[in-house]
Amino acid sequence: ILAASSSSCIGSKTWPPYDMIMISLSLSRIALQCWIVLDLFLTIFCEPSYFEENIFGVIKTVYMFLNYSNLWFGAWLSVFYCVKVASFTHSFFIWLKQRIARLVPWMLLTSWLCSLTAAIAFAWDFYSVHNNFTAPLPVTNSSAMRTTRKDNLGLLILLSNAGIGMPLILSVVSSVLLIQSLWIHTRRMQNNASGFRDPSLEAHMKAIKSVCSLLILYITYFIAFTFLLYDVFLRFSTPKSICIAIMAACPTGHSIVVIWSNPKFRELPARIWHFTKCLVG
């Protein structure tokens, strides 16, 4: 996906908005997968130093930033699909369809800023918790410490919910609207069908299946990330390991669905395979 999208942008003065979203999403997922591997490696082979304050805090902060970015870019991909494919006559939808190309760079920049803000809030709360536990305070200050800790926790929860809640809402709403539009159009085509196999009708059914698959994978990823974010399960427990495995598998499944549903992404591996066979032959 990254290679195909980047090839469309090389030598072009203006990058296509779809390719901008796909490049951002691909880069964030590659970075996230590499960071998960690094986290697992350090946990297994460098456990004593892994749980030191600085190393553990940096790793988890970057991990949160990449997860937030992944959620935002996936949501903007759903929004872009909805705006470009769905056919609604509402004035706001028409306005958005005409300006989506100019809005995409600002959407991506907003995603980076929101992800960075939520990650910084996580880091700030992590280090404040560590300082509260390592720096003993007088008994007279215990009440003030609890009040400050409660305020910090409230701010963290607010930023975390905004960081993961808004992308979910955007993704679900845009996907449902797109499925509704495709389904209405498909029903009309079925009523007007002459009994022969209609390629356009099959394309619409394939698009509906793709959007449903992307939505299911996105929601599954969101649920697993939420469980890990709020420490619902104990460390090294089986449910927590399952959540980590789901978070590693869902981006891969999402990418496979995107490749399967886009001819441009399917053609590049075929060309690479053909070029490799020619070299070997």
Side-chain angles (χ1 to χ4, degrees), residues 32-140:
L32 177 61
Q33 296 289 357
C34 293
W35 205 257
I36 290 175
V37 173
L38 176 63
D39 186 20
L40 183 63
F41 178 84
L42 292 176
T43 304
I44 296 174
F45 298 103
C46 306
E47 184 175 356
S49 59
Y50 173 79
F51 290 101
E52 293 180 2
E53 175 191 357
N54 293 331
I55 297 177
F56 185 77
V58 169
I59 287 178
K60 291 308 177 184
T61 300
V62 176
Y63 178 74
M64 288 298 169
F65 171 74
L66 294 174
N67 274 293
Y68 286 131
S69 302
N70 195 14
L71 288 170
W72 273 107
F73 295 145
W76 290 134
L77 179 63
S78 299
V79 172
F80 185 82
Y81 280 152
C82 178
V83 172
K84 298 297 288 186
V85 178
S87 54
F88 295 107
T89 57
H90 194 276
S91 58
F92 175 75
F93 190 83
I94 296 174
W95 177 87
L96 192 60
K97 185 183 285 285
Q98 293 172 346
R99 293 166 175 80
I100 187 65
R102 284 177 289 175
L103 292 175
V104 164
W106 295 106
M107 290 157 56
L108 297 177
L109 179 60
T110 303
S111 303
W112 284 110
L113 293 177
C114 290
S115 302
L116 183 62
T117 301
I120 290 175
F122 175 84
W124 172 64
D125 184 79
F126 171 81
Y127 285 111
S128 66
V129 170
H130 183 273
N131 292 334
N132 284 339
F133 278 108
T134 56
L137 294 177
V139 178
T140 55

